[in-house]
Amino acid sequence: MTMLDDRQTAAPWPAAYPQGYAVVDVETTGLARDDRIISAAVYRLDARGEVEDHWYTLVNPERDPGPVWIHGLTSDVLEGAPLFPEVAAQLSERLAGRVLVAHNAAFDWSMIAREYARAAVTAPVEQRLCTIALAKELRLPLPNHKLESLAAHFGVVQQRAHHALDDARVLAEAFRPSLHAAARDGMRLPLLECRPLTEWYDSPVVPRAGYRPSQGQGSWRPSRKRPACPYPNPGRYESDKPLMQGMRVAFSGDTSIDRELLEDRAVEAGLHVATSVSRLTSLLVTNDPDSATSKTVKAKSFGTPVLEESAFTHLLRDVAPARTVIVPKPSPSSE
């Protein structure tokens, strides 16, 4: 183990820390809004990150399994698996009353929330914690923020990458020393609120041959309010340099990754997601920079840098830390 464990009991445990965690990993048919979960695993941890139990299930997505070369789950394997509504109660039992922990938690939560919405059940999750965000807060010396790099840092051996149960095990083992390091330093955990999707409308799924866009397969209306970005705006994005926490990012047009998920990834990386373009906007993300939308027109008039989605998601892997943090003033309101 690392030196973090040698000192994990040196300081009192923060009273404000959660009382339990559910470390989650899901494998899916893809990344779009209409993609489905095909396997799920949960490691339940106590307040100090000790493993209580674990659970794993396959899920029949009722469609093609997507990138089999990544997750290894074929249609034949999934044919006899339970449907999500049949395992929703078991999953709820393991998530209830705990903080959902995942590596790129915005994605896992987004997929889980949609499955619950389709099943007309409310997901029992109030908060999530992304281990990528936690690693950045701890300033761990990682070459990148892949799960394998986090695992290697803590000496955790991966046995079956992209298998939900093994990925959840690896993350649980890496999360424990991260949690203790945060507690030792009295650090506030980067918790984000989870609000379940309120409605889901199904429409026929078109068989996929290669890439299949997500438009027209389903829609929802989430109920959410993003927390204020705690970092000051460092200015505009500069080409060939990393993104920096606090940058104001606006999105325009269709994205291959669901917009809500893409925005959540940006927020968890420490960026400020803006709903419009102004002179303070650091960059605009769009796959159609020549369109005449109000955002692209304003971006051109202000000289705001424009990035395609693929370039933006690549930069999200390693966002530079902010130089300062804005401490919010106490307010009597409950906003």
Side-chain angles (χ1 to χ4, degrees):
M1 300 301 289
T2 68
M3 290 181 63
L4 294 176
D5 294 293
D6 296 335
R7 298 173 293 176
Q8 63 189 24
T9 59
W13 197 259
Y17 273 27
Q19 295 303 302
Y21 304 88
V23 177
V24 173
D25 186 78
V26 297
E27 295 300 319
T28 67
T29 61
L31 302 176
R33 69 181 67 190
D34 53 313
D35 278 300
R36 306 296 300 271
I37 290 176
I38 54 176
S39 66
V42 180
Y43 267 73
R44 288 196 292 190
L45 312 182
D46 65 15
R48 291 176 176 263
E50 299 291 345
V51 175
E52 296 178 332
D53 58 29
H54 64 268
W55 174 82
Y56 171 76
T57 186
L58 295 175
V59 180
N60 185 343
E62 299 184 281
R63 51 164 293 174
D64 64 286
V68 175
W69 60 91
I70 295 178
H71 51 64
L73 298 175
T74 64
S75 296
D76 290 341
V77 171
L78 297 171
E79 183 178 3
L83 303 178
F84 185 84
E86 298 172 334
V87 300
Q90 298 177 58
L91 179 58
S92 293
E93 179 185 349
R94 288 157 177 83
L95 298 178
R98 297 169 185 267
V99 171
L100 184 150
V101 177
H103 202 67
N104 190 7
F107 174 74
D108 293 82
W109 162 243
S110 176
M111 297 302 298
I112 289 170
R114 290 178 200 143
E115 291 288 5
Y116 272 101
R118 290 186 186 97
V121 180
T122 300
V125 180
E126 296 182 357
Q127 290 181 308
R128 68 179 183 267
L129 189 157
C130 181
T131 48
I132 294 176
L134 181 58
K136 289 181 178 180
E137 292 289 339
L138 291 170
R139 301 188 184 277
L140 299 182
L142 305 178
N144 53 57
H145 291 98
K146 296 181 180 179
L147 178 58
E148 62 188 44
S149 298
L150 184 66
H153 177 77
F154 290 114
V156 181
V157 178
Q158 281 189 296
Q159 298 173 350
R160 297 181 63 185
H162 299 296
H163 185 281
L165 183 60
D166 195 59
D167 281 353
R169 174 192 63 82
V170 168
L171 189 58
E173 292 185 25
F175 175 64
R176 179 176 175 272
S178 299
L179 178 65
H180 280 271
R184 182 197 68 224
D185 296 340
M187 191 184 82
R188 184 178 65 85
L189 295 178
L191 301 176
L192 287 179
E193 181 183 13
C194 290
R195 294 195 177 186
L197 304 180
T198 56
E199 297 182 32
W200 175 267
Y201 300 97
D202 280 318
S203 58
V205 174
V206 178
R208 167 163 51 188
Y211 172 75
R212 177 178 53 77
S214 62
Q215 287 81 0
Q217 304 307 318
S219 62
W220 63 90
R221 290 199 295 271
S223 175
R224 57 193 290 160
K225 181 179 179 181
R226 297 189 186 280
C229 182
Y231 310 110
N233 186 352
R236 289 183 172 178
Y237 166 73
E238 297 181 39
S239 180
D240 299 325
K241 290 186 179 181
L243 298 172
M244 180 176 288
Q245 289 179 325
M247 282 187 170
R248 296 176 65 93
V249 181
F251 297 88
S252 178
D254 293 331
T255 52
S256 58
I257 299 175
D258 170 61
R259 176 69 66 81
E260 295 289 343
L261 172 58
L262 196 56
E263 291 180 354
D264 277 347
R265 287 182 177 178
V267 169
E268 291 193 344
L271 303 178
H272 177 129
V273 173
T275 57
S276 61
V277 173
S278 71
R279 297 184 186 278
L280 298 177
T281 304
S282 303
L283 71 153
L284 174 68
V285 178
T286 178
N287 290 322
D288 190 7
D290 295 324
S291 66
T293 66
S294 61
K295 290 181 181 178
T296 55
V297 170
K298 285 184 178 180
K300 290 178 181 179
S301 67
F302 295 147
T304 304
V306 177
L307 284 178
E308 290 189 351
E309 177 188 357
S310 59
F312 177 70
T313 54
H314 179 78
L315 290 170
L316 273 183
R317 299 174 185 175
D318 193 16
V319 176
R323 298 185 181 92
T324 58
V325 177
I326 299 174
V327 179
K329 295 181 180 179
S331 173
S333 69
S334 56
E335 294 181 354

